[in-house]
């Protein structure tokens, strides 16, 4: 089955760190650019970061630049998001999303993992 | 960053209705626009990409149009399962990819 499964979310104090993982299966993970998108409670979608298939190109939203690091391990079919210096406003459901081949939007999403930053 | 503005933010409709949601980009994005549907507690689902191309498996009652700065998503005959929140997204110029604020479609 073609799917993405996120893990690693939880409750963390302000200033703390968390590492999210996204396990891919059912497709050739190494052929796709991947993204993290988040959604704060009751709010809309916010793109967080993207990484190209070979990790050559990496981009971040200004809101997380310098605090979050995206990476991938194509041998393990896995995507990661290392989140440091967490703030209350980082509280959200974090989704990993596959970028469709040939610039077709984000065609596959995981179910998301909830990150709560609170003291 | 390119700003995406959807209208309306929410509205009510009945099953069988034809509904249209609009999305406007703050600058031209050619046809690099996607539409997503999101139901409560679920991940977004890609409906349309390249402004008007239906994603595989999406019912034909969904259609998209537009290019440049103005785009529309139309649902020709609302079904009960279509009540959800819809988002547009530009992928012409990034970073950042930007989403519209969402349009919540509710049952009248």
């Amino acid at each position: 089955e073609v799917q993405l499964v996120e893990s690693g979310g939880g409750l963390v104090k302000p200033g703390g760190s968390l590492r999210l993982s996204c396990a891919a299966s059912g497709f050739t993970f190494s052929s796709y650019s991947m993204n993290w998108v988040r959604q704060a409670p009751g709010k809309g979608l916010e793109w967080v970061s993207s990484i190209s298939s070979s990790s050559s190109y990496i981009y971040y939203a200004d809101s997380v630049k310098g605090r979050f690091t995206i990476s991938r391990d194509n041998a393990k079919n896995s995507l990661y998001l290392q989140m440091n210096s967490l703030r209350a406003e980082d509280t959200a459901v974090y989704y990993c999303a596959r970028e469709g081949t040939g610039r077709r939007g984000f065609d596959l999403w995981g179910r998301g993992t909830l990150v709560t930053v609170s003291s | 960053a390119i700003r995406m503005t959807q209208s309306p933010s929410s509205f009510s409709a009945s099953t069988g209705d034809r509904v249209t949601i609009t999305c406007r980009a703050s600058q031209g994005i050619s046809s690099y626009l996607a539409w997503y549907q999101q139901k409560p507690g679920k991940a977004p689902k890609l409906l349309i990409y390249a402004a008007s191309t239906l994603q595989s498996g999406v019912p034909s009652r969904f259609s998209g149009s537009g290019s440049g700065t103005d785009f529309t998503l139309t649902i020709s005959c609302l079904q009960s399962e279509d009540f959800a929140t819809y988002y547009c997204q530009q992928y012409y110029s990034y970073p950042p990819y930007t989403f519209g604020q969402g349009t919540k479609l509710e049952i009248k």
Side-chain angles (χ1 to χ4, degrees), chain A residues 35 39 43-45 47 59 95 99 103-107 109-110, chain B residues 36 38 42-44 46 49 87 89 91-92 94-97 99:
Chain A
N35 298 267
Q39 187 170 37
K43 302 297 185 182
L45 301 170
W47 170 80
Y59 305 109
Y95 297 101
E99 190 164 337
R103 302 187 73 185
R104 297 186 175 190
F106 296 174
D107 66 349
W109 296 66
Chain B
Y36 301 89
Q38 187 180 33
K42 301 294 186 182
L46 177 65
Y49 62 91
Y87 294 92
Q89 178 208 24
Y91 52 98
Y92 172 76
Y94 56 92
Y97 293 103
F99 293 89

Side-chain angles (χ1 to χ4, degrees), chain A residues 36-106:
Chain A
W36 288 99
V37 177
R38 69 184 180 184
Q39 187 170 37
K43 302 297 185 182
L45 301 170
E46 179 189 17
W47 170 80
V48 172
S49 182
S50 68
I51 185 168
S52 63
S53 58
S54 60
S55 305
S56 298
Y57 300 97
I58 289 175
Y59 305 109
Y60 297 99
D62 287 344
S63 57
V64 307
K65 200 172 294 182
R67 301 187 298 124
F68 289 12
T69 302
I70 191 172
S71 62
R72 65 190 295 161
D73 185 336
N74 287 342
K76 294 183 178 180
N77 292 331
S78 293
L79 175 72
Y80 306 101
L81 186 67
Q82 177 66 44
M83 305 186 295
N84 298 331
S85 304
L86 283 161
R87 307 166 179 166
E89 54 264 36
D90 295 319
T91 294
V93 174
Y94 284 74
Y95 297 101
C96 65
R98 184 180 77 177
E99 190 164 337
T101 303
R103 302 187 73 185
R104 297 186 175 190
F106 296 174

